[in-house]
Amino acid sequence: GQNIDQPTEMTATEGAIVQINCTYQTSGFNGLFWYQQHAGEAPTFLSYNVLDGLEEKGRFSSFLSRSKGYSYLLLKELQMKDSASYLCVADTDKLIFGTGTRLQVFP
Amino acid sequence: DAMVIQNPRYQVTQFGKPVTLSCSQTLNHNVMYWYQQKSSQAPKLLFHYYDKDFNNEADTPDNFQSRRPNTSFCFLDIRSPGLGDAAMYLCATSGAGGGTYNEQFFGPGTRLTVL
C-alpha cells in the first residue's frame, strides 16, 4: 500500500529552527516533494529530493534517506509567514500526499 | 507570468444542481490534474489528462466528470452535487506524466459550497 506519515501539528517561535519529519511506504518511488500550503490557498513547491542527503535552499533544507523511507524539512530563522501546512509528497507513478503538518509560528 | 488559473475562486451551488469548475494554464504542460481537498486532509486525486488521454482514479465517483477540449483548458463537471462534495478543488499541471520529476503546479483552487 501507499502510506505517508507526518505529524499533524507543530508549534515554534519566531527565529527558531523546526524540523518536520516524514516517513513513507510506497510501491515505486522516484523522489520526494515538500509543498507549502497556506490556509485556503493552493500548495506551492518547496523542494524535491531524488538522491540521499541534504539539499539546502535559503532558510529551507530538505533531507532524504531512501533506504529508511524517511525525509525531513528543516526551516531556519522562522518567520510569522511560515505559519502554514507542509505537505510531504512521494513521487511514484502519481503523487502521494501526506495529510500535512500544520505549523504555527508564534512571536 | 505563466500560471494555472481557476475560475471561479468561490462557487456556491444547490444540492443536486450541476456545476462546472474551470481551469486554464499558460504553461503549455501536457498533463492536467483535478484534486479534491477537504478541510485538514490531503489533496485527493480525482483524475488526470495526459494530453487527451483521460485517466480516472478507481475511487472517483461517477458524479464527477471532466473535459479537456484543448491543451490550455480543463473542466470539472459535478453532475449532482451532494453535501459531501463541498471542498476545495485544485487544478494542477505538469510537464510530463509519471516518471521521474513530476513537479505539479497548482492553481489557486475553487472552494465549492453546496447548500
Side-chain angles (χ1 to χ4, degrees), chain B residues 61-76:
Chain B
D62 292 340
N63 197 26
F64 292 86
Q65 305 284 318
S66 184
R67 296 170 282 136
R68 190 179 185 185
N70 54 52
T71 300
S72 301
F73 285 87
C74 195
F75 300 97
L76 170 62

Side-chain angles (χ1 to χ4, degrees), chain B residues 70-112:
Chain B
N70 54 52
T71 300
S72 301
F73 285 87
C74 195
F75 300 97
L76 170 62
D77 300 308
I78 309 176
R79 293 194 295 188
S80 181
L83 297 178
D85 298 327
M88 174 78 88
Y89 290 87
L90 297 166
C91 174
T93 72
S94 70
T100 54
Y101 192 5
N102 197 22
E103 180 185 350
Q104 294 184 14
F105 296 79
F106 286 85
T110 295
R111 183 167 294 283
L112 178 68

Side-chain angles (χ1 to χ4, degrees), chain A residues 30 33 35 37 40-43 45 48 87 91-95 97-99, chain B residues 9 35 37 42-43 57 88 90 98-104 106-108 111:
Chain A
N30 301 311
F33 288 100
Y35 278 84
Q37 186 175 26
E41 297 182 15
F45 171 84
Y48 182 70
L87 301 170
D91 178 16
T92 67
D93 61 342
K94 63 180 75 171
L95 296 191
F97 284 82
T99 54
Chain B
R9 293 292 310 277
Y35 289 88
Q37 186 177 26
E57 293 301 298
M88 174 78 88
L90 297 166
T100 54
Y101 192 5
N102 197 22
E103 180 185 350
Q104 294 184 14
F106 286 85
R111 183 167 294 283

Side-chain angles (χ1 to χ4, degrees), chain A:
Chain A
Q2 317 272 47
N3 193 49
I4 308 271
D5 283 317
Q6 54 181 130
T8 305
E9 288 192 6
M10 297 182 73
T11 60
T13 53
E14 212 172 0
I17 299 173
V18 71
Q19 177 173 313
I20 303 174
N21 296 321
C22 170
T23 57
Y24 62 89
Q25 291 176 302
T26 60
S27 51
F29 179 80
N30 301 311
L32 193 116
F33 288 100
W34 284 94
Y35 278 84
Q36 181 191 59
Q37 186 175 26
H38 285 98
E41 297 182 15
T44 56
F45 171 84
L46 287 179
S47 66
Y48 182 70
N49 291 65
V50 176
L51 303 176
D52 285 359
L54 186 69
E55 294 207 5
E56 298 184 69
K57 192 187 292 185
R59 294 190 298 114
F60 293 5
S61 303
S62 56
F63 172 85
L64 177 67
S65 168
R66 295 175 75 117
S67 62
K68 294 181 180 175
Y70 168 69
S71 173
Y72 68 73
L73 180 69
L74 191 71
L75 295 82
K76 301 177 188 174
E77 300 169 20
L78 280 173
Q79 301 175 8
M80 297 295 290
K81 67 178 182 180
D82 298 329
S83 294
S85 284
Y86 292 86
L87 301 170
C88 176
V89 185
D91 178 16
T92 67
D93 61 342
K94 63 180 75 171
L95 296 191
I96 309 298
F97 284 82
T99 54
T101 298
R102 187 177 167 195
L103 174 66
Q104 287 187 284
V105 179
F106 293 99

